[in-house]
Amino acid sequence: MSLPKKLQDTFSPKELQFMVENEPIKIFPRFTTRQRINKHSDDILDLYSNRWKMITMPDTALNNMVAMQSTTVTLWIALLLKQQNKCNIIAPEWLTCKALDRAIQFEQNNTRRFSPLPWDWLILSEILFKKAPDDFHDPIHELRSRIQDLREIRQLKVAKGIKYMNESHLQLDNLSILEINELRPFISGIMDKLKEIHLAAVGPEIEGDKEENDGEEIFNGTLRNDSSRQSL
Amino acid sequence: MGYYDLDDILADSAEIPCKFLHDIPGLGYLENNPGGTIHVNTQLKLPLWLARVLAIIDASSASDDVGNADIFNTEQQFTPFLNMLTPETFTNKVINAIKTDPISLDLHSINPYFYALAIKWIELFSDKDLAEIVSDLLLQRSQVINAHANSTTISYNNNSNSTSSTGNNNTTNNNHALFTLTLDEFEKKIYKEANDSYKDIKKWIYQY
Amino acid sequence: MYGDLANKLIIEAKRTEQLTQKYLDAALNSDNGGIRNDFNGNETIIPMYNDELIYNILKEVNQLKQNTEYLQHIKQEEEETKDQLKDVLSGHSNDKIRKCQYFVNLLCLERNKRCLMAYQRMRSDIIDKMVWNGLIGSNNMYNNGSKRSGYNELSHYEQEYMSQYKNLIDEMNSESELWSSIEIMGNMNPPSDIFIDIRVLKDIGEIQTEYGTFNFVKDSQFYVRQSDVERLIQQGYVQKI
């Protein structure tokens, strides 16, 4: 196969980061791109000379930016503008000390459930800590420590939760994509094996009347007659 | 599993004690007696790939000629060439050991391909009890495997991607190494995959 | 005992699989995303094709084949004398015996075949992975000149297989407009930053980009577009900071 074995069944964290960078986020741009259309202007070509055209996303947001008015763009655009000092990123609501504290409280009070954090909380927080540390109201080290706490509590809960694995069903609600990704190879491997064991015991489905098919059991390749098996 | 799967092939080479139900001349080489005959009720250890088919095939319906059918024997009797007896892997002793302490059991020394062998055995005999015991064993051991896979430390050195044993990491890494020695081949594979995925994520968090 | 040699072959195949897995994992984890360029030619990814063991197994298979021919011969003789036999029961037991002997023979043959096929399949999988990793190939500039280690460990047929596989991939790459814009042999890591800081490791000289000409002297640092220097990173001439 052209894809290495490790990547055949799960994503790498870098790929997940790439996916998360496609999400929308609010920013304060520091420059204006919106232009007032002057109906009486003769120079129509000028109107369109500064417009950007994007291939992979709608360009209305980019072309209508007004300085210091919040607008929503994709994350990777926001990061690029931030790097060039052309905008300020607005931290999402769940990424404040208060909200995180509430989430930690929830985790500690409900030992059988996970708090409803957004699906990309871990990845997004790491990206923002690295690229836009000055855009947060609260100091970064406090936010980081809370994120770490959350991660550890959830990991312990997950370890408890996988005790209830059986060959057909396991349900853990509200896990983020990174957490699911790290569990995926382990859980799918174990559940596949449990399924194999279960199917081997139950046997292939035999349609029709059971008695009529007794004579055909020889050809199924199994020895259902216990008397043929003797113990030492 | 699959035809080309190496683990499947190696699991098939496990030896099973068998008892022959007929006299077969010419197969003496199976018991190191070339040219001799194997007599009824001889017990031999044969590999699973050989024993399985000989235990399934019906020896009595050998004749194609309907006219030669035994008119005195109207019952359809199913007699294979040999009977497979319980191998050492599934004796009561082992099953009791599994029930008492599934976690610290040294599965590798019982049989390095325990799970593959168990699945084949269960399929042959539709043994629901054994299936339950093995499922439970797997579930309990998987918790421990997950715990071990999660706790391996990584080095922060950019040049090496493997775990380095420095100073006080020595004992934990030794524990992990000793633990993996007691795992069966399938468990080792799962351990490695889980460990890799946890390691990748930790690396991404710290290097990002 | 028939099948023992085949077992040895499979054990060796398993060891090979584990060795290569380690090597390929290390390649994937490196920064240039799956392309090894520090290959010094002394490492062997794939062990020698085990000619001797295969030859012995094939001899065993031949022996088994002779056994089947012998059994066939015996059966024909029995068929001819069967009509003269009055003892039906002994005819039955003879049939049983023949059947058992036949099955044992057949099973040994099939076992040997399966082991041989699995060994070959394992090796061809490794060859595929090596080709995709860009390690082996003369028209591949990522390779350090003529150091095509691993090539000599293959049997003649495997070498042919490898060059035909490579040709197939090259054909697919250059065939249509659709494929030529996707870098199939490129980096496994998704692109992250548009502009990155790099440090030059070796003297390359002048590189021309859209943003101007850069003089890449050893140990100098530049802030350039990632897609421009992607190739150079893979070849190991520059390093991302």
Side-chain angles (χ1 to χ4, degrees), chain C residues 213-229:
Chain C
T213 340
F214 297 101
N215 197 359
F216 278 14
V217 183
K218 187 164 189 256
D219 289 334
S220 53
Q221 292 188 209
F222 292 97
Y223 184 69
V224 284
R225 208 162 66 165
Q226 183 164 6
S227 45
D228 290 338
V229 294

Side-chain angles (χ1 to χ4, degrees), chain B residues 2-10 12-13 20 22-27 29-30 32 46-47 49-54 57-65 68-70 81 113 120 158 161 185 192 196 199-200 203 207-208, chain C residues 1-4 6-7 10-11 13-15 17-18 21-22 25-26 29-31 64 67 75 82 88-89 92-93 95-101 103-105 107-111 113-115 117-119 121-122 192-193 239:
Chain B
Y3 185 78
Y4 292 112
D5 186 20
L6 292 178
D7 284 331
D8 202 30
I9 297 180
L10 283 166
D12 258 348
S13 68
F20 275 83
H22 301 281
D23 263 347
I24 319 270
L27 287 187
Y29 60 82
L30 289 176
N32 288 330
L46 293 181
W49 52 267
L50 191 54
R52 175 173 48 210
V53 179
L54 293 179
I57 300 279
D58 186 12
S60 57
S61 62
S63 171
D64 308 311
D65 196 344
N68 275 347
D70 194 350
F81 287 111
Y113 293 96
K120 288 181 202 289
N158 277 340
N161 293 321
E185 290 298 312
K192 182 168 181 304
D196 279 345
K199 216 163 55 166
D200 278 344
K203 211 168 75 147
Q207 277 187 0
Y208 187 64
Chain C
M1 173 60 198
Y2 295 124
D4 283 341
N7 233 17
I10 293 296
I11 293 180
K14 182 99 180 127
R15 220 178 290 140
E17 183 188 24
Q18 284 168 340
Q21 197 54 46
K22 252 192 248 167
D25 276 345
N29 284 336
S30 64
D31 282 330
L64 286 167
N67 282 358
K75 183 166 183 205
K82 202 177 195 176
V88 176
L89 282 175
H92 266 236
S93 69
D95 276 342
K96 247 189 285 186
I97 294 173
R98 294 293 154 239
K99 199 173 182 186
C100 186
Q101 287 169 338
F103 266 112
V104 172
N105 220 18
L107 289 168
C108 293
L109 272 171
E110 281 189 358
R111 174 75 177 178
K113 174 181 174 186
R114 185 182 183 191
C115 293
M117 301 268 273
Y119 178 73
R121 159 88 172 208
M122 149 105 329
S192 47
D193 311 311
Q239 186 191 37

Side-chain angles (χ1 to χ4, degrees), chain A residues 5-6 13 17 123 126-127 130-131 151 155 159 162-163 165 178 182-183 185-186 189-190 193-194 196-197 200-201 218 221-224 228-232, chain B residues 1 19 55-56 78 83-86 115 119 121-127 131 134-135 138-139 142-143 146 150 186 190 193-194 197-198 200-201 204-205 208:
Chain A
K5 191 152 189 301
K6 234 201 297 193
Q17 178 193 331
I123 303 186
E126 291 293 327
I127 293 179
K130 174 142 194 241
K131 296 285 173 81
R151 174 140 165 82
Q155 263 186 329
I162 55 181
K163 281 196 196 131
M165 245 195 303
L178 198 59
E182 73 181 351
L183 286 173
F186 173 72
I190 300 278
K193 202 66 174 187
L194 286 172
E196 264 182 66
I197 298 178
I218 302 165
T222 59
L223 296 162
R224 292 179 190 272
S228 64
R229 180 164 78 102
Q230 302 161 19
S231 44
L232 285 170
Chain B
M1 280 306 170
K19 196 167 88 154
I56 293 178
F78 168 56
N83 276 337
M84 286 202 284
L85 316 171
T86 321
Y115 290 107
I119 290 180
W121 192 259
I122 293 171
E123 209 172 353
L124 279 174
F125 294 107
S126 289
D127 193 345
V134 173
S135 298
L138 178 60
L139 198 57
S142 65
Q143 315 297 319
N146 189 31
N150 208 352
F186 163 73
I190 294 284
E193 284 176 5
S197 110
Y198 284 124
D200 278 344
I201 293 196
W204 178 82
I205 291 182
Y208 187 64

Side-chain angles (χ1 to χ4, degrees), chain A residues 95-111:
Chain A
L95 202 50
T96 54
C97 272
K98 272 196 219 144
L100 289 177
D101 277 333
R102 251 181 290 140
I104 295 184
Q105 276 296 327
F106 186 97
E107 297 275 350
Q108 282 168 343
N109 293 341
N110 300 327
T111 51

